[in-house]
Amino acid sequence: MAEQLQVSPVSKSILNDKWDVVFSNLVVKTGLGFGAGVVASVLLFKRRAFPVWLGVGFGLGRGYAEGDAIFRSSAGLRNVKA
Amino acid sequence: MLRSRTVFNAAKRGLATFAGEPAAAPHPVRNFLVKFAAATSLFYVGGVALSVYNDQFEELFTDNVPLAEPLVDFYQSYRDGTLQTSKISLEELKLKFGELSNKVEQIPNAGATSMLAQTDPAASPKTKAAQVLEDSLVMLRLPQVPPVATLDTASAAAPSAANHLVDSVNEIVASVNAQSLLLPEDSYNAVTLAWGKLTAALQQLTADFDHDVAQQVARRYGEASVELEHAYDARLKAAEVEITQRFLDEFANFKAQLEKHSSEELACALQANEQALLAKQSNEVALLSIKQVEEFNKILSEKLDQERQGRLAKLEELNTSVANLTQVVDKVDVFVKKNEVLTRLTLLTTEIRDRLQSGDLTSVQLDDQLSELKTLSDILPGKPHKCCTKTPHLLDVLVAELDQLAAQQQILSNEQLYNRWSLLQDDLKTASLLPPNSGILGHLSAKFFSLFLFNKSGSSVENDMDSVIARVSENLRLANLENAVEEVVNLKGWPRVLCDEWVHEARKKLEVETLVDALDCEVRTL
């Protein structure tokens, strides 16, 4: 059985890694909100624009909330088992 | 009008119930009694019937209902056939109450000599012819023959045969009595007489039979006892002969076994004694040979001493001189070897220190120097062995610690530590502005405001973040690593976390430098 090495991020890059996680999470959540807004606009609101803006806003808000939680706690700091 | 209507209705009802005949007079008391009797009978019959099939109901019924227990017992006895009714037969009734017309007043013991009873003519008026006929007839009634008194010593078959004969006679008598024969008086007397003779003959026969049986039993007893005595004597003699023969056989077998066992024990004892004698003889031979060898050695040593006193008289002095020379050579060898090892150790510590203090951009690898250091430490003379002392030598401890700390690892050079600290400065400035438990807004604000911080350089006495960074940079630039590490270790919060890896590397280098210094001092004292 191969020995498992515990690789933790170096102390210097802790904050930068958190920023990476926060930005990627923000992009994903914004994209999801945008997609949900587009689908709702096409299916329910006769291609009007406000559902798209509403979904993007929800995604941004959700990404901000999770990013805030990531910075305030150890969430998002991942220990990778190689 | 109302009255006329009532009368009309009553008449109407009367006409409806009137059937053309006058109604029978009611008998309420009689009807009540009949119904009560029927109900009581039905109750008792049902209770008895249920009591037969159910024990619990029987217990309840007999305990609580009067006259229930006798009724149940009566029914059960009737059902089981044990009803105590009168078992008197018709004959006994006749004997008890007599014939309808005749009665025997007295029955003599010697036989059936009964007399006619005097009937009361007023009580039983009969015809004259019938009266004459009844006067001339007598009912035949014979007495039973007494059972035979058997002898106690007779066999079991004899009394049974005699009693069987008496029983058969009594049965015949009983059958004759049961027929209630009416005989004329002369026939009756003849029968009675014959019956008396028969009884006497039977008693005589019984007595003769008993006498013959007793004689036969006595004779057979005598013969059987004589035969039994002869047979007992014969069996006694045969058993005596057999037991004597068996005893002789067993005695012969035991004698043979005893002789065999004794001969075996004797053979074993002889063999053991022979072996003991052989061993004793061999021991004596060996002792003799040892004594001869000792004598030979003694003679040989005497001869050698004589030779040594002669031609080899200076050999002892030469041997002493050679031994002294060997000791001196060994001491010189040890001294030279120690000096060489110490010189190499000094050079090696100097080389390690130079590599640690060098300004190269690459990391320092000390594996070769450490292996050489271990070898020199092992071969250093004058050092007590590890197995012979409880307190280890300082040189060994230092080498072991150095090997544990720096073997298979890379130690950063001063230039590398300075470059890494320079890379950390921006993050340190940002982290110094972070509030405690800051979120995404706090981090963005810290990032933004860190752009407006001033950069300091040189030695500053202030305690803000810019001054600390400037002091650490100045100490690193002057290769004063201890002070730089002290400044960084005193940081708090996120800046301390960010510098953790740098502090670890710097501490490792400081520990290696300290161990090398201690090793150099120890080598100089040896």
Side-chain angles (χ1 to χ4, degrees), chain B residues 92-110:
Chain B
E92 289 169 345
L93 284 173
K94 285 179 179 179
L95 287 173
K96 190 172 182 180
F97 298 107
E99 293 295 332
L100 292 176
S101 59
N102 298 330
K103 183 177 181 183
V104 178
E105 287 185 342
Q106 185 179 2
I107 299 174
N109 290 329

Side-chain angles (χ1 to χ4, degrees), chain B residues 326-398:
Chain B
T326 305
Q327 290 178 356
V328 170
V329 168
D330 287 341
K331 286 182 180 177
V332 170
D333 188 20
V334 168
F335 183 73
V336 170
K337 186 177 175 183
K338 186 176 181 180
N339 272 345
E340 178 64 19
V341 170
L342 290 178
T343 306
R344 295 292 298 275
L345 281 173
T346 306
L347 291 174
L348 200 58
T349 52
T350 307
E351 182 184 353
I352 292 173
R353 190 179 294 154
D354 289 342
R355 290 199 63 186
L356 288 174
Q357 298 294 338
S358 67
D360 294 338
L361 290 175
T362 58
S363 301
V364 179
Q365 187 86 24
L366 297 175
D367 289 339
D368 297 336
Q369 286 80 12
L370 287 176
S371 62
E372 189 176 354
L373 190 64
K374 284 172 70 178
T375 307
L376 290 173
S377 171
D378 290 338
I379 65 174
L380 179 65
K383 191 176 63 173
H385 284 286
K386 294 177 183 176
C387 60
C388 301
T389 177
K390 289 182 180 179
T391 55
H393 200 260
L394 180 58
L395 185 64
D396 294 331
V397 175
L398 290 174

Side-chain angles (χ1 to χ4, degrees), chain B residues 399-416:
Chain B
V399 170
E401 289 291 328
L402 203 55
D403 185 62
Q404 182 183 357
L405 194 64
Q408 305 293 330
Q409 289 183 6
Q410 291 184 345
I411 299 171
L412 298 181
S413 62
N414 288 332
E415 194 69 22
Q416 283 177 318

